[in-house]
Amino acid sequence: MTESEAIRLFKCLSDKSRLQILKSLAIEDMYVERLAERLGITAPTVSFHLKKLADAGAVTSYKSQYYMMYSLKKDVFRTSILDILQEESDEARLQAQRDAEYRQKVIDAFFEYGKLKSIPAQRKKERIVLEVIAQAFEYDHVYTEREVNIIIADFHDDFCTIRRDMIGEQLLDRDSKGYWRVKL
């Protein structure tokens, strides 16, 4: 189910009459007049709601003798909300572009000629800055504390804070042998 289909379905489900129609159709297929009698609303109102439900993909219709019968599309309701949330958003590309622009804006604001002007106070901005610094470290290479300090000092004088924060953000890890860059 696409994001726009889910939105259309959820909008339909937010109406009490439509929900009652769906509950009735879950029991058995029905025609407009039967639904109107059962729910105590007029046939034109039921037709209006059925049109909305059909447009949302919640019901389907078929001809049976003289009547147009409506039935619930049960497979639509077997889709879990988690499946809908995990579906790629229609705006995923736009969101990724906004993220990249924000990231570049932070980098431009805090770096000048490859040097870190100041350590950001906001955690999300600091994370971006630390990721830039982490690129100076190679994967699968164990560094001594002195080597780590020298690399970080190329970016900023407060190498102790940055080293500690890089470990805290799990960009670097350490043990008794030394430091290494963590693979994300």
Side-chain angles (χ1 to χ4, degrees):
M1 178 177 297
T2 67
E3 191 173 86
S4 57
E5 290 170 341
I7 291 169
R8 203 168 32 249
L9 179 63
F10 289 143
K11 283 183 180 179
C12 272
L13 295 176
S14 67
D15 184 90
K16 184 178 180 180
S17 295
R18 290 184 202 134
L19 202 54
Q20 293 305 315
I21 289 170
L22 290 173
K23 286 181 177 188
S24 295
L25 293 177
I27 298 168
E28 65 177 313
D29 294 357
M30 294 185 190
Y31 53 95
V32 173
E33 290 76 15
R34 174 75 176 105
L35 282 165
E37 287 173 18
R38 184 158 204 231
L39 301 175
I41 54 180
T42 65
T45 302
V46 171
S47 293
F48 170 79
H49 289 305
L50 284 170
K51 170 81 169 96
K52 293 282 189 184
L53 290 166
D55 290 345
V59 298
T60 187
S61 61
Y62 61 92
K63 191 92 166 160
S64 176
Q65 295 180 347
Y66 302 109
Y67 298 103
M68 184 62 77
M69 300 292 289
Y70 290 88
S71 63
L72 183 69
K73 288 178 78 175
K74 293 180 180 176
D75 58 318
V76 170
F77 296 99
R78 288 190 181 105
T79 304
S80 76
I81 292 177
L82 188 58
D83 291 338
I84 294 168
L85 294 175
Q86 290 175 338
E87 182 76 29
E88 185 173 330
S89 172
D90 297 340
E91 295 188 11
R93 196 175 308 114
L94 183 59
Q95 290 171 355
Q97 180 184 352
R98 287 182 191 140
D99 288 344
E101 288 171 0
Y102 176 76
R103 182 179 172 80
Q104 191 58 50
K105 183 179 170 185
V106 170
I107 292 169
D108 292 343
F110 285 95
F111 285 94
E112 188 173 82
Y113 305 114
K115 289 284 234 179
L116 183 61
K117 294 190 268 187
S118 64
I119 299 172
Q122 279 187 354
R123 185 167 185 225
K124 66 180 181 177
K125 290 180 181 179
E126 183 184 17
R127 172 70 187 204
I128 292 169
V129 165
L130 295 175
E131 287 172 355
V132 170
I133 295 171
Q135 292 172 357
F137 294 90
E138 295 176 22
Y139 291 111
D140 301 322
H141 183 273
V142 178
Y143 297 89
T144 65
E145 186 169 321
R146 179 170 159 50
E147 290 172 321
V148 171
N149 292 345
I150 290 170
I151 292 171
I152 294 173
D154 287 341
F155 292 95
H156 196 272
D157 293 336
D158 191 358
F159 52 82
C160 292
T161 300
I162 293 174
R163 184 184 67 231
R164 183 191 67 231
D165 291 349
M166 289 179 79
I167 292 168
E169 288 290 331
Q170 298 178 345
L171 296 169
L172 288 181
D173 204 354
R174 68 174 176 201
D175 64 11
S176 60
K177 297 174 191 164
Y179 296 79
W180 61 89
R181 184 173 173 189
V182 175
K183 292 182 181 177
L184 301 175

